[in-house]
Amino acid sequence: MKKRTMIIAGIVAVVVIIGIFVLPSLFGGKQAAGPEMKTATEDLGIEYFEVPDIEQVYINGVVQPEQAEAFAKDNKMTSTPEIKVKNGDVVEPDTELFTYEDKEVTKEIEVQNNTLSKLATKKQNIYKKWNRAIDTFNKTKEEERNTTGAAIDEQHQAEVDGVDEEIFFSNETIADLSTKQFISTKAKFKGRVSIPEVKDENAPVLRLTSDGLYVAGKVNEKDLMKIAVDQKANLSVVSSGTTVTGKISYIDDNPPEAQANQNQGESTGADSSMSNYNVKLALDSLDGIKNGYHMQATINLGDNKPIEVPKKAIHDQDGKKYVLVNDFGSVIRRDIQVGEEKGENTVVNSGLESADRIVVSSKKEVKEGDLIGEESKESGAAAKE
């Protein structure tokens, strides 16, 4: 009886093992995994707003001042320039910025001043001699005089006139040299002064930059015919995400000469020989924009109808508006500039890209940096409705 019980127990054990390991593999079943093996995507119940998919042209560029000038040192000058302005000063046109002293000219002026001093002494001596001659003439008896008082005056006046002529020439020479003694450099436009802190031999004396800024970018020949002057643009600072609006202010019809010559020598690949053309973009606001910032401009082609985004999709942090976007499964932040409110929606003037999937709401909080996977676009269509 005990043996029979053991046999039954063995059969039951085999059946259990077959049920756990063999049958699931035969019928496509999968072994249950622990929490760390979970692969099912959590249902976040996200509602999306789909930005219309429109054709766009992207222009990458760098912020530059409308006018700028760096004043290099004059190596012909042995003196150190005397700077007449301070770092950060905003100066008007024709303001004296710095001067050089031409030391060779200064030496010539000193020589002329010494000459003037000697001529003044010479003139005084002539007058003394003249006075002595008059005294001698007056003391001499009339019958013993061998000249006349008029002759004495004429002789000494001629000597004084000669010295006065030399004095006049020296003064004229000094006046002419004085215009060359200090070489002054003046501002050609209104701008802000920047004086380098490090005074090495390659550093300029100072720089002058206008307060007005623009974006200098490039567009390739494929997109050149798609854009036009005065076309509106949405611009974003690459480093900070700060967004502003603007427009195209200039398009160069010719590629840079050096690039054109280089392309003529290339013969392999269409992309390698594609020309780029200089483009300038004016900025509607300079808030958060500085000289040297890298920016990307987006030009929407075709219909420029404003994009209206649900209010509840727009967040605010320290006065900055932004939305969260599902970027191929990753949640990213897009800083935006908003316009007027229209019912439950708000007009977004800049910051969005074509076909952006904006998170409107979700069952669980979604934040920047989350990985949420790709979901169907049905919820985005529902948000638009």
Side-chain angles (χ1 to χ4, degrees):
M1 186 71 178
K2 186 176 180 181
K3 182 177 180 182
R4 182 179 177 184
T5 301
M6 291 179 62
I7 293 173
I8 293 173
I11 294 173
V12 170
V14 171
V15 170
V16 170
I17 292 173
I18 293 174
I20 295 175
F21 296 101
V22 178
L23 291 179
S25 63
L26 292 176
F27 294 94
K30 294 185 180 179
Q31 181 179 354
E36 68 278 4
M37 298 294 291
K38 184 178 179 181
T39 59
T41 302
E42 183 180 0
D43 181 13
L44 300 175
I46 299 177
E47 178 189 2
Y48 291 102
F49 171 82
E50 300 282 345
V51 175
D53 188 2
I54 59 176
E55 185 179 4
Q56 296 175 315
V57 170
Y58 298 99
I59 300 175
N60 294 315
V62 179
V63 177
Q64 296 183 4
E66 292 175 353
Q67 289 179 287
E69 187 172 4
F71 298 90
K73 293 179 180 178
D74 190 341
N75 294 326
K76 296 178 182 179
M77 294 293 176
T78 57
S79 62
T80 301
E82 182 182 358
I83 299 176
K84 303 289 188 178
V85 291
K86 294 182 293 185
N87 188 54
D89 281 354
V90 176
V91 299
E92 298 293 332
D94 292 328
T95 300
E96 190 175 52
L97 300 175
F98 60 92
T99 59
Y100 279 104
E101 179 186 4
D102 191 327
K103 293 188 175 181
E104 293 300 321
V105 173
T106 300
K107 289 180 182 178
E108 291 183 39
I109 291 175
E110 290 175 357
V111 170
Q112 291 299 323
N113 281 324
N114 290 333
T115 300
L116 281 175
S117 180
K118 291 177 182 178
L119 288 171
T121 302
K122 184 178 180 181
K123 187 175 179 179
Q124 288 176 355
N125 290 335
I126 292 173
Y127 277 117
K128 289 178 182 178
K129 186 174 67 170
W130 190 351
N131 289 329
R132 285 196 302 269
I134 294 294
D135 288 342
T136 302
F137 176 81
N138 290 332
K139 292 177 182 179
T140 303
K141 295 180 180 180
E142 187 173 346
E143 63 272 14
E144 294 178 0
R145 294 172 181 170
N146 55 9
T147 184
T148 63
I152 293 174
D153 289 342
E154 184 178 352
Q155 175 190 348
H156 289 86
Q157 185 63 53
E159 291 180 18
V160 170
D161 289 345
V163 173
D164 281 342
E165 187 175 347
E166 290 183 66
I167 290 173
F168 176 81
F169 177 78
S170 287
N171 281 324
E172 286 286 302
T173 302
I174 290 173
D176 181 60
L177 289 172
S178 295
T179 63
K180 304 172 184 176
Q181 183 181 13
F182 295 98
I183 301 173
S184 177
T185 299
K186 297 182 179 181
K188 297 177 182 177
F189 54 88
K190 181 179 180 179
R192 189 177 299 275
V193 174
S194 175
I195 301 174
E197 184 178 0
V198 179
K199 308 291 185 182
D200 59 41
E201 58 181 9
N202 296 320
V205 177
L206 58 81
R207 293 183 178 88
L208 187 64
T209 56
S210 62
D211 284 339
L213 301 173
Y214 73 96
V215 176
K218 293 184 182 297
V219 65
N220 61 45
E221 61 187 66
K222 182 176 65 176
D223 293 329
L224 180 65
M225 302 307 294
K226 299 177 183 178
I227 62 174
V229 172
D230 291 332
Q231 203 164 15
K232 292 182 179 180
N234 297 321
L235 300 103
S236 175
V237 177
V238 174
S239 59
S240 66
T242 299
T243 59
V244 295
T245 56
K247 66 178 181 178
I248 297 175
S249 60
Y250 171 79
I251 302 173
D252 197 338
D253 288 333
N254 302 293
E257 186 174 346
Q259 178 187 288
N261 293 336
Q262 179 184 359
N263 288 348
Q264 288 177 2
E266 296 174 349
S267 59
T268 59
D271 290 338
S272 62
S273 60
M274 188 175 291
S275 295
N276 291 311
Y277 296 78
N278 291 327
V279 177
K280 292 182 179 180
L281 298 111
L283 299 166
D284 293 336
S285 170
L286 298 180
D287 291 342
I289 309 297
K290 287 193 175 293
N291 181 20
Y293 277 12
H294 286 72
M295 300 192 75
Q296 184 183 69
T298 304
I299 314 296
N300 293 331
L301 304 180
D303 185 12
N304 283 323
K305 183 180 178 181
I307 299 173
E308 298 179 19
V309 175
K311 290 180 182 178
K312 58 183 179 179
I314 299 174
H315 306 274
D316 190 306
Q317 182 180 28
D318 299 328
K320 284 189 175 182
K321 305 290 185 182
Y322 70 94
V323 295
L324 296 176
V325 173
N326 183 346
D327 186 46
F328 299 101
S330 297
V331 177
I332 63 173
R333 167 176 168 162
R334 289 211 194 283
D335 290 331
I336 58 174
Q337 281 194 335
V338 299
E340 62 178 319
E341 296 184 356
K342 293 188 175 182
E344 296 298 318
N345 297 331
T346 298
V347 173
V348 175
N349 293 324
S350 65
L352 298 178
E353 294 185 4
S354 176
D356 269 348
R357 301 187 69 199
I358 300 173
V359 176
V360 177
S361 63
S362 60
K363 293 179 180 178
K364 182 181 177 181
E365 180 186 3
V366 174
K367 59 184 182 298
E368 182 182 8
D370 285 350
L371 299 178
I372 59 177
E374 284 284 11
E375 300 181 22
S376 69
K377 295 191 177 183
E378 294 178 1
S379 55
K384 287 185 179 181
E385 294 174 359

